[in-house]
Amino acid sequence: MIDVPLSVLDLAPVQVDSSAGDGLRATTELARRTEALGYQRFWVAEHHNMPGIASSAPAVVLAHLAAATERIRVGSGGVMLPNHAPLVVAEQFGTLHALHPGRIDLGIGRAPGTDQATALALRRTKEGLSGDSFPQELVALLDYFRDKGPGGIIATPGRGERPEVWLLGSSGFSAQVAALLGLRFAFAHHIAPNNTEQALALYRDNFQPSEGLDRPHAMVAVAAICADTDERAEELSRPRDLAFAYLTAGRPQAVPTPEQAAGFPRNDREREFVAHRRKGQLLGSPETVRRQLTDLVRRTEPDELMFNTMVYDIDDRVRSFELIKKKVVA
């Protein structure tokens, strides 16, 4: 039995034959269904200039999801802080917390969540593209929630509101920043599986207690597709694999249909790409996924787990989370 809280990371995927609105409505349905299954958190990620992802404005999506659910915590996985002024983020998430106290998570990342041209359009100056000022911007954001930010500016709403703050990362840098500031840390195992254990060790070894957290608290986010059989899980994974192939080639597209992805991968190069992408992921029947997840938990000892499931059909997404909850971890 895997006895840690389970949560959901969703990208509001947009299928090639549907609209962004359809994707957002499916994400809302997934939030309701996973709440009923007992999942603890439901996070959405910030990405831009990607036709297959509709969660470009996390604060807006979270306001809708919080209103559409009753108990599950909703949050950002994450807000890419270099794209925004810290005061704006404090006001947005201060507003969310004021409206839904005790249910809002603010996950912060330092990557752009997009390509360099789009990052420049968001940040408006080339100086902001490096991310060198991220630690200072993060401290300023935290100060807005505690009391006053730089220059004595008060965030309203913001000051006195306490969304649960997490630092997201896929490297040792973010792990060390989270440790030094005494923040919760969410590691993107689905992005950088080779870095997971080292980053978690850095976080735990260097953790400094803070006002809001007296011991390290780490979550591991992992890609997961669980189906009734290994063969069905393999079928469900192909649209995701093809979508990532397009993205890696610099041609992001909406999530292809199962029919479009049926022949993928077609050659040795594509098979090598898929094998590399799947490293560290959970894929298969409940029995297969249980073995994979047990090994991941043994190696990383997470305080929480978060699953990202990108498959074409919303019913298959819900079914994956249902199987994980009822047959994998039970």
Side-chain angles (χ1 to χ4, degrees), residues 259-272:
E259 291 74 22
Q260 290 171 326
F264 185 81
R266 297 174 293 266
N267 52 49
D268 289 344
R269 183 177 179 181
E270 290 178 348
R271 281 188 283 273
E272 183 179 351

Side-chain angles (χ1 to χ4, degrees), residues 206-218:
N206 294 282
F207 183 82
Q208 301 295 316
S210 64
E211 179 185 354
L213 194 64
D214 60 4
R215 59 177 296 276
H217 189 95

Side-chain angles (χ1 to χ4, degrees), residues 19-296:
S19 68
D22 293 330
L24 290 166
R25 281 184 283 275
T27 287
T28 305
E29 175 66 15
L30 185 64
R32 293 192 184 107
R33 298 287 291 277
T34 51
E35 177 180 60
L37 287 168
Y39 282 82
Q40 177 160 308
R41 308 176 194 273
F42 193 99
W43 286 7
V44 296
E46 177 186 345
H47 291 280
H48 302 276
N49 194 29
M50 293 187 184
I53 297 176
S55 55
S56 57
V60 179
V61 177
L62 295 177
H64 174 72
L65 294 179
T69 54
E70 297 179 359
R71 300 174 305 280
I72 196 168
R73 297 187 67 95
V74 299
S76 56
V79 165
M80 301 297 110
L81 186 57
N83 295 341
H84 312 279
L87 175 60
V88 172
V89 177
E91 290 174 339
Q92 290 175 344
F93 279 78
T95 300
L96 287 169
H97 191 267
L99 290 169
H100 305 281
R103 292 185 59 205
I104 303 300
D105 298 333
L106 172 54
I108 293 291
R110 69 183 182 100
T114 189
D115 58 88
Q116 288 292 293
T118 308
L120 179 59
L122 287 163
R123 303 176 191 186
R124 299 188 294 176
T125 64
K126 292 184 178 179
E127 290 75 15
L129 293 177
S130 69
D132 290 342
S133 60
F134 174 77
Q136 293 82 7
E137 292 175 346
L138 178 58
V139 170
L141 172 60
L142 297 174
D143 285 344
Y144 283 122
F145 289 122
R146 293 170 181 142
D147 187 17
K148 299 177 182 178
I153 295 171
I154 296 173
T156 306
R159 183 171 72 169
E161 302 295 344
R162 292 298 176 96
E164 193 169 277
V165 179
W166 292 72
L167 189 58
L168 280 56
S170 57
S171 69
F173 176 83
S174 295
Q176 293 182 81
V177 173
L180 293 175
L181 294 178
L183 297 175
R184 293 167 177 84
F185 180 53
F187 187 83
H189 180 78
H190 59 302
I191 295 175
N194 292 333
N195 296 343
T196 307
E197 292 169 65
Q198 180 183 17
L200 292 176
L202 280 170
Y203 171 65
R204 289 162 176 154
D205 291 345
N206 294 282
F207 183 82
Q208 301 295 316
S210 64
E211 179 185 354
L213 194 64
D214 60 4
R215 59 177 296 276
H217 189 95
M219 177 157 59
V220 173
V222 58
I225 296 177
C226 190
D228 291 291
T229 65
D230 289 340
E231 293 75 16
R232 179 58 177 161
E234 174 70 28
E235 292 173 2
L236 294 177
S237 72
R238 288 176 186 155
R240 177 200 64 182
D241 292 339
L242 181 55
F244 276 117
Y246 285 136
L247 177 61
T248 302
R251 297 182 286 114
Q253 299 182 25
V255 181
T257 66
E259 291 74 22
Q260 290 171 326
F264 185 81
R266 297 174 293 266
N267 52 49
D268 289 344
R269 183 177 179 181
E270 290 178 348
R271 281 188 283 273
E272 183 179 351
F273 169 82
V274 169
H276 176 74
R277 278 291 314 171
R278 289 184 180 180
K279 185 176 182 180
Q281 298 183 359
L282 311 178
L283 177 67
S285 65
E287 294 78 13
T288 299
V289 170
R290 184 186 301 115
R291 289 195 300 270
Q292 297 165 342
L293 185 58
T294 299
D295 177 66
L296 177 64

